[in-house]
């Protein structure tokens, strides 16, 4: 509490002394009340922070895994100790229900513990047999990584970068979404409280307009972004121009195929869970449901029933299923996608309207008879809107599933696991496929997409190796 009080006093003093400084506002989406105004860091302040983080890297890269692991385990403990307090910050800034916010913080603790335990083995030297006396691969940190992160999972998106990056010996600077600045500063403070050396990880309170300049900074060695496809294109272009490594996790329009032999009740329940997590504001949330004709009506009826039972209200109320969307403009954009699809012939089974309340809530919505040319067919629906498709044969199901520019995740529900394996490996175009479950990220598994869902992978062995120098050493 003292940290935030001092920080805000300093920000206000800066604002008084420099009227040209821009401010960013954090607003509670459920109450509409302003939480805090933050003064944006000036370019000069940003440059000084990057210098300090690079200086920290020169020392941090020389530490052993034992010391890094001790700091990371301390960070894991801090997250669990303060999970209720941290969850309240998440709820107030972006509106997800409290139990999901607590789960998000707990997952951050999991990824910290996972890399604290496994980073050393993931990055150990790998001997290679050649004609030389000795040859091996050495994995070495590369420096300060810029992370550009979104608001929808304001802690998890950061920690799935932070934990492997710091355990690899890198340092990091975070440019978070302006509406979750409180979360960004809380993460920075947690790193300090966990005992990491000063400036190993810093938050930059800035808008998007400074990102390209930061990427060009020679002390920044790589960039990772989770966000929209347009944002990914912009960051990738800047990183490419600077010849720097980038990892992008972008949008998704995940397709779930429900085969005729699936357990329909089970499938419908998990599909609803996946569609409504975080009020539908999830890149890996199920969005397109492709159902075998023989069980289409059965699935639709159960899906409609479950979606209709969703309870909206105060996200701090444990009885609520979903909270509001993060901002009014996001709700309005989602409704425009639904309305345009309806005008072009789509059928709205439930939802599809803006409630009279000022809260940016959008009711669970289901569309069918959606065809190519409609927004609901081609675009990502970032909110609680589901699209139903019917298929007659498996080739048609795969064609519909792959008829999207995105390729993040997919799901299959069936009792024939062997068929599901074939479809997963050779049919579906996605970075991951979950059979008889909904798609979720897991520290133990690589996470990322293809096509316009981005490139590179986070998490697992592969994730920690994205931002290291894979150095070949040969001794004759």
């Amino acid at each position: 509490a003292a940290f935030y009080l001092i920080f805000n006093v300093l920000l206000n003093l800066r604002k008084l002394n420099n009227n040209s400084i821009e401010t960013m506002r954090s607003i509670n989406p459920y109450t509409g009340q302003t939480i805090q105004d933050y003064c944006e860091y000036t370019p000069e302040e940003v440059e000084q922070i990057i210098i300090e983080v690079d200086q920290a890297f020169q020392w941090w890269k020389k530490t052993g895994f034992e010391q890094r692991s001790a700091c990371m385990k301390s960070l894991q403990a801090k997250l669990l100790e303060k999970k209720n307090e941290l969850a309240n910050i998440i709820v107030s800034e972006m509106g997800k229900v409290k139990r999901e916010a607590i789960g998000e913080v707990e997952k951050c603790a999991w990824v910290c513990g996972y890399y604290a335990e496994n980073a050393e083995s993931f990055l150990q030297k790998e001997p290679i047999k050649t004609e030389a006396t000795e040859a091996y691969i050495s994995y070495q940190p590369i420096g300060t990584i810029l992370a550009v992160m979104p608001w929808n999972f304001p802690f998890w998106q950061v920690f799935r970068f932070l934990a492997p990056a710091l355990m690899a010996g890198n340092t990091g600077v975070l440019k978070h979404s302006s509406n979750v600045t409180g979360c960004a500063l809380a993460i920075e403070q947690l790193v300090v409280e966990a005992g990491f050396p000063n400036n190993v990880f810093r938050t930059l309170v800035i808008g998007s307009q400074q990102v390209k300049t930061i990427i060009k900074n020679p002390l920044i060695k790589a960039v990772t972004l989770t966000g929209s496809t347009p944002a990914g294109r912009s960051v990738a272009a800047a990183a490419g121009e600077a010849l720097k490594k980038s990892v992008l996790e972008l949008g998704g329009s995940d397709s779930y195929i429900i085969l005729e032999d699936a357990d329909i009740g089970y499938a419908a329940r998990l599909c609803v869970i996946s569609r409504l997590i975080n009020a539908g504001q999830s890149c890996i949330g199920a969005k397109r449901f492709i159902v075998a004709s023989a069980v289409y009506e059965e699935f639709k009826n159960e899906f409609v029933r479950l979606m209709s039972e969703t309870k909206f209200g105060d996200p701090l109320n444990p009885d609520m299923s979903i909270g509001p969307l993060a901002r009014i403009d996001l709700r309005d954009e989602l409704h425009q996608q639904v309305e345009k699809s309806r005008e072009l012939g789509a059928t709205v089974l439930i939802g599809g309207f803006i409630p009279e309340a000022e809260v940016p809530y959008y009711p669970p919505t289901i569309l069918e008879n959606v065809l190519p040319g409609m927004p609901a067919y081609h675009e990502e629906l970032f909110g609680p809107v589901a699209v139903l498709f019917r298929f007659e044969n498996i080739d048609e199901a795969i064609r519909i599933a792959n008829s999207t520019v995105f390729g993040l995740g997919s799901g299959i529900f069936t009792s024939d696991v062997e068929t599901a394996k074939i479809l997963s490996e050779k049919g579906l175009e996605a970075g991951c496929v979950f059979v008889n479950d909904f798609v979720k990220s897991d520290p133990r598994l690589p996470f990322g997409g293809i096509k316009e869902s981005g490139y590179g992978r986070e998490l697992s062995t592969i994730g920690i190796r994205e931002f290291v120098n894979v150095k070949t050493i040969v001794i004759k």
Side-chain angles (χ1 to χ4, degrees), residues 57-65 68 119-126 136-145 164-171 221-222 245 461-473:
F57 168 70
Q58 303 308 322
W59 182 85
W60 181 246
K61 70 180 179 181
K62 299 174 184 177
T63 59
F65 284 104
R68 297 177 201 168
E120 183 173 11
S121 63
F122 290 163
L123 298 177
Q124 66 182 339
K125 295 177 182 178
E126 293 185 26
Y136 60 93
I137 300 170
S138 177
Y139 297 99
Q140 299 298 320
I142 60 174
T144 300
I145 316 299
L166 268 55
M167 282 304 302
N170 295 310
T171 50
K221 304 304 181 183
K245 176 74 176 287
T461 308
I462 297 174
I464 198 172
R465 293 179 178 178
E466 286 283 10
F467 295 124
V468 295
N469 178 12
V470 183
K471 183 182 292 185
T472 299
I473 299 175

Side-chain angles (χ1 to χ4, degrees), residues 257-263 412-417 419-420 435-436:
I257 297 175
I258 295 87
L259 297 178
E260 186 174 343
D261 60 358
D263 181 331
I412 301 173
F413 287 88
T414 178
S415 59
D416 186 348
V417 174
T419 295
V435 178
N436 294 325

Side-chain angles (χ1 to χ4, degrees), residues 137-207:
I137 300 170
S138 177
Y139 297 99
Q140 299 298 320
I142 60 174
T144 300
I145 316 299
L146 169 64
V148 182
M149 292 293 142
W151 48 263
N152 57 332
F153 292 91
F155 268 66
W156 171 241
Q157 309 280 19
V158 176
F159 272 87
R160 73 185 191 196
F161 147 76
L162 182 156
L166 268 55
M167 282 304 302
N170 295 310
T171 50
V173 290
L174 168 66
K175 186 277 174 214
H176 219 325
S177 292
S178 59
N179 60 320
V180 290
T181 301
C183 291
L185 294 171
I187 293 170
E188 180 182 277
Q189 180 63 11
L190 281 169
V191 172
V192 172
E193 292 177 0
F196 282 86
N198 290 338
N199 298 314
V200 164
F201 178 86
R202 293 290 299 274
T203 285
L204 304 176
V205 181
I206 59 171

Side-chain angles (χ1 to χ4, degrees), residues 14-29:
R14 288 171 61 245
K15 185 176 180 182
L16 288 171
N17 293 326
N18 189 345
N19 292 329
S20 65
I21 294 176
E22 297 292 330
T23 59
M24 297 185 295
R25 178 164 292 178
S26 177
I27 299 173
N28 185 315

Side-chain angles (χ1 to χ4, degrees), residues 40-98:
E40 182 176 354
Y41 292 176
T42 66
E44 293 76 19
E45 289 172 316
V46 169
E47 184 174 4
Q48 181 58 37
I49 289 173
I50 292 173
I51 290 172
E52 292 170 357
V53 174
D54 177 70
Q55 290 171 344
F57 168 70
Q58 303 308 322
W59 182 85
W60 181 246
K61 70 180 179 181
K62 299 174 184 177
T63 59
F65 284 104
E66 184 176 354
Q67 181 175 353
R68 297 177 201 168
S69 180
C71 291
M72 194 59 67
K73 287 181 178 178
S74 175
L75 182 55
Q76 176 187 25
K78 287 290 180 184
L79 284 161
L80 294 176
E81 173 191 336
K82 297 187 172 187
K83 64 181 180 181
N84 189 66
E85 171 189 340
L86 299 172
N88 285 337
I89 300 174
I90 295 172
V91 172
S92 66
E93 288 205 308
M94 60 75 54
K96 74 175 62 185
V97 292
K98 179 73 175 286

Side-chain angles (χ1 to χ4, degrees), residues 112-428:
C112 288
Y114 175 75
Y115 279 109
E117 293 291 340
N118 294 293
E120 183 173 11
S121 63
F122 290 163
L123 298 177
Q124 66 182 339
K125 295 177 182 178
E126 293 185 26
I128 305 293
K129 188 174 182 179
T130 70
E131 304 81 21
T133 302
E134 184 179 4
Y136 60 93
I137 300 170
S138 177
Y139 297 99
Q140 299 298 320
I142 60 174
T144 300
I145 316 299
L146 169 64
V148 182
M149 292 293 142
W151 48 263
N152 57 332
F153 292 91
F155 268 66
W156 171 241
Q157 309 280 19
V158 176
F159 272 87
R160 73 185 191 196
F161 147 76
L162 182 156
L166 268 55
M167 282 304 302
N170 295 310
T171 50
V173 290
L174 168 66
K175 186 277 174 214
H176 219 325
S177 292
S178 59
N179 60 320
V180 290
T181 301
C183 291
L185 294 171
I187 293 170
E188 180 182 277
Q189 180 63 11
L190 281 169
V191 172
V192 172
E193 292 177 0
F196 282 86
N198 290 338
N199 298 314
V200 164
F201 178 86
R202 293 290 299 274
T203 285
L204 304 176
V205 181
I206 59 171
S208 299
Q209 72 281 356
Q210 291 198 53
V211 169
K212 289 184 179 180
T213 300
I214 294 171
I215 293 173
K216 292 178 183 178
N217 189 311
L219 298 181
I220 297 295
K221 304 304 181 183
V223 57
T224 180
L225 175 139
T226 298
S228 68
T229 299
R233 293 185 193 279
S234 177
V235 164
E241 184 178 355
L243 293 179
K244 295 180 181 179
K245 176 74 176 287
S246 60
V247 169
L248 306 178
E249 193 268 279
L250 309 178
S253 190
D254 286 12
S255 300
Y256 283 25
I257 297 175
I258 295 87
L259 297 178
E260 186 174 343
D261 60 358
D263 181 331
I264 299 304
Y266 172 82
R269 181 168 58 85
L270 265 65
C271 287
V272 168
I273 291 173
S274 182
R275 179 65 295 225
L276 296 183
I277 286 176
N278 208 29
Q281 301 167 117
S282 172
C283 52
I284 55 170
K287 300 179 177 76
R288 308 163 82 236
F289 302 90
I290 306 162
V291 188
S293 183
V295 294
Y296 181 85
E297 292 300 325
E298 180 184 358
F299 178 87
K300 181 176 78 171
N301 291 338
E302 184 66 5
F303 192 68
V304 168
R305 183 183 71 81
L306 293 172
M307 289 278 279
S308 300
E309 292 177 352
T310 302
K311 294 181 180 180
F312 164 77
D314 184 345
L316 291 173
N317 185 335
D319 294 330
M320 297 301 106
S321 305
I322 62 173
L325 300 188
R327 300 193 310 265
I328 290 284
D329 62 301
L330 298 172
R331 182 204 63 187
D332 292 346
E333 180 181 343
L334 179 67
H335 184 61
Q336 288 172 8
Q337 292 172 298
V338 171
E339 278 297 288
K340 183 64 175 178
S341 298
R342 190 203 316 249
E343 291 169 5
L344 293 173
T347 302
V348 178
L349 298 179
I350 60 169
F353 63 92
I354 295 179
E356 293 183 3
E358 291 299 319
V359 178
Y361 168 62
Y362 200 74
T365 298
I366 303 175
L367 306 178
E368 65 176 353
N369 299 320
V370 172
L371 301 172
M374 300 179 184
Y377 191 95
H378 299 285
E379 300 172 8
E380 180 177 24
L381 301 171
F382 214 62
V385 179
V387 181
L388 297 181
F389 297 93
R390 182 195 302 259
F391 72 88
E392 300 297 335
N393 57 67
I394 196 61
D395 289 338
E396 184 183 11
I398 295 296
R399 177 187 61 77
I400 296 171
N402 292 337
S403 62
T404 170
V405 297
F406 299 107
L408 194 53
S410 283
I412 301 173
F413 287 88
T414 178
S415 59
D416 186 348
V417 174
E418 292 306 312
T419 295
K421 288 181 181 179
I422 295 172
L423 297 177
S424 299
E425 294 178 17
K426 300 181 179 180
L428 291 169

